[in-house]
Amino acid sequence: MSLTNHVKYIKFMCARYSTLPLNQILQGDCRDILPDLPDRSVDLIFADPPYNLQLQQDLYRPDRSRVEAVNDAWDQFSSFSEYDEFSQAWLKECRRVLKDDGALWVIGTYHNIFRIGTILQDLGFWILNDVIWIKTNPMPNFRGVRFTNAHETLIWAVKSRDANYIFNHHAMKALNDDLQMRSDWYIPICSGPERIRINGKKIHSTQKPEALLYRIILATTRPGDVILDPFFGTGTTGAVAQRLGRNWIGIEQELQYIQAARERIARVNPAPADALSLPVRSRKSRLPFGTLVEHHLIKPGQILYFDRNPDIRAMVLSNGHLSVDGWSGSIHMAAEKICGRPTNGWERWYFLDEHGNFQPVAVLKQKFLSGISKEDDLKENL
Amino acid sequence: MSLTNHVKYIKFMCARYSTLPLNQILQGDCRDILPDLPDRSVDLIFADPPYNLQLQQDLYRPDRSRVEAVNDAWDQFSSFSEYDEFSQAWLKECRRVLKDDGALWVIGTYHNIFRIGTILQDLGFWILNDVIWIKTNPMPNFRGVRFTNAHETLIWAVKSRDANYIFNHHAMKALNDDLQMRSDWYIPICSGPERIRINGKKIHSTQKPEALLYRIILATTRPGDVILDPFFGTGTTGAVAQRLGRNWIGIEQELQYIQAARERIARVNPAPADALSLPVRSRKSRLPFGTLVEHHLIKPGQILYFDRNPDIRAMVLSNGHLSVDGWSGSIHMAAEKICGRPTNGWERWYFLDEHGNFQPVAVLKQKFLSGISKEDDLKENL
DNA sequence: ATGCTACATGAATCACCCC
DNA sequence: GGGGGTGATTCATGTAGCA
């Protein structure tokens, strides 16, 4: 299919059927291509826009070799206001294309990230974190006139303050040896076999490491989600999305990058599904306290003690409420009434077991839930 | 001298003789006080302005204790544009007061730093570095809904691109074990005896650590220079300046902070300071197992064998946990589950290499750590 | 003195479903 | 759309108390 026909096909599919050109690279300036994508259609956007580096002259190392600079045509802007206009244009379209609960990541350096952050806030985006990619092996400052610029900044934002965004907290915690993941990420720059080269010469001046995208995608998407990258380059986003069982859409101007990206992604094998479906803590395992009463795990009239304190008592009513000094309500409300703020009643109310030991009522919930799963097992085995 | 007379004296000295009120705290809003200082008169400005945090509700730790919020009157702004106006006002005056070869540091978080950076650039400042203060002991994200906000951002800027600014490269290199100082700084938050308290209660909600100012002042001033802090607070800038033999000028509104700062600075001996006496931590070298998964050294879905036993298997999940018979957890927990006591998972779990031989996963860790320190990476890549 | 445990706390934009 | 009910969630460090 010719390029022109390809573009026509994409536009046709999107406009007519509101379907998305999944797992494809669309050629062109993202300011021209984004308008063809439907409203509220993608789950995540990762953007690595031009940094507006404003390098003035060649830079030489102490051994007098020349540093290959980022002076591609796509990184030339004549002024801040021109850069701002450009940024507003693509960010506005990203906002339209993003689902209301979707999220946006943008990466940059001090040359451009302050302008990006300000524009994001002015467009109504709500910043969740700024994350620092700390390079374990940055290029030193050869002339010794500044601090080694050893990091880049990522902004993670959603469309509004009340967006119900995805954050796979437990996956992040697991990835970090069971400690909460922080806003400082230690990742080497892209080099070695991962760096795409032709005849030993790197074809993209700012190729991002796959490890960076791995963490972003694992943290803020689910398998099957659609990830859009409006500055696709050599397709790091697509390669990692493919590996993690996510769908992707890339937008890129340069044919050379597109070809390299297509070859690269074609070589990626997705991970097996059972390695991707992570044990997500279910939010829907809610069990009303009254169910325990119905199933005789706790009896109407039984006495519960707050925080193992034998003097703070409540009586279980037949409807599953607790009665405290004439007042009655749920285990949570009763606990809140005593400690003065919202709290989890399952962990605050204790009963005396057959040995005379205090046990939180949560153990009864556990007992009940495991009993149910045994029943299910029984049914399945029949 | 009464307060009014004191202000009159300052204005008189500045206006008439162009002398500076050195080593003094001027009381008032810096937007009112700065205009009294002469043009091009100070060498360095350090500013820790309000962050515009916009906290909405109380926050509780999992142990149900309440987090003391930053809800001081000085951090209340009704909108971004009001915050921008405020920032433009004081930054514009700072630009006027700063010598042409002087420098400016501003600290902030994602709530405000993008706006500050944009305004700086729009006023003509030239950014030299953004520096990341990485907190070794930040407050966690108690609800597990974002990444731990473990850093703050500093911007180091000069008045124009051709300013002949101070950077004590060799002092910085010496301070960093003879390695070039990078843009990521590892410094604990201000606590313990350094934190100023009255009756055990901190008097300023956002007191900065002296180690941070120590590095800034050592890097970008000379002895005898004049350092201005328009948001002086409890005087960290003054205390460190005094210790390092620099002159300082503080501007602060709150009388309580001023009094604490005066007492604090009076206790400082301007002795030759010992850099190593400051609690500056080096970067951690801990490597989570998940990092190897992120870097594709081990793949989701891959099978590991316990103690080379082909019958005791685990599958690597995409989050870096191991899955064993439906259970999942870290390599260490998985190993403990099997052998019954705490153990080092790195040495107990084996994979099959390309020759079909068992190799402990520790060899991958070694491979990763040696790979990122390769010299050619340093030289070849931006 | 030393070691151990318990407790306090820090610039934090900190939930979500269902009626 | 608002309000009430249910329940998920933390790390490093300094200090106090006690054996």
Side-chain angles (χ1 to χ4, degrees), chain A residues 93-107:
Chain A
E93 275 303 301
C94 281
R95 191 174 165 82
R96 183 187 60 75
V97 165
L98 199 57
K99 289 182 186 172
D100 285 341
D101 290 337
L104 168 73
W105 287 84
V106 189
I107 184 168

Side-chain angles (χ1 to χ4, degrees), chain A residues 215-235:
Chain A
R215 195 174 292 183
I216 289 170
I217 291 175
L218 199 64
T220 59
T221 66
R222 291 174 288 206
D225 277 358
V226 177
I227 302 170
L228 169 69
D229 185 337
F231 304 94
F232 201 62
T234 47

Side-chain angles (χ1 to χ4, degrees), chain A residues 245-259:
Chain A
R246 273 70 169 174
N247 293 294
W248 53 271
I249 300 169
I251 303 175
E252 175 54 48
Q253 294 191 75
E254 307 280 334
L255 198 54
Q256 195 196 14
Y257 298 162
I258 291 176
Q259 283 164 343

Side-chain angles (χ1 to χ4, degrees), chain A residues 99-145:
Chain A
K99 289 182 186 172
D100 285 341
D101 290 337
L104 168 73
W105 287 84
V106 189
I107 184 168
T109 61
Y110 66 85
H111 306 87
N112 71 327
I113 199 66
F114 304 123
R115 315 209 71 91
I116 296 284
T118 298
I119 292 168
L120 281 178
Q121 290 177 318
D122 289 345
L123 287 176
F125 281 97
W126 185 250
I127 298 178
L128 295 171
N129 275 120
D130 60 333
V131 167
I132 308 301
W133 167 29
I134 293 165
K135 304 177 184 183
T136 54
N137 48 353
M139 185 172 68
N141 185 287
F142 293 112
R143 296 171 55 211
V145 292

Side-chain angles (χ1 to χ4, degrees), chain A residues 56 61 148 180 214 348, chain B residues 64 148 161 180 318 379:
Chain A
Q56 290 267 92
R61 299 188 179 88
T148 301
Q180 194 172 75
Y214 189 97
R348 309 302 293 273
Chain B
R64 293 180 290 276
T148 304
R161 187 168 193 162
Q180 196 171 77
S318 60
K379 288 182 189 148

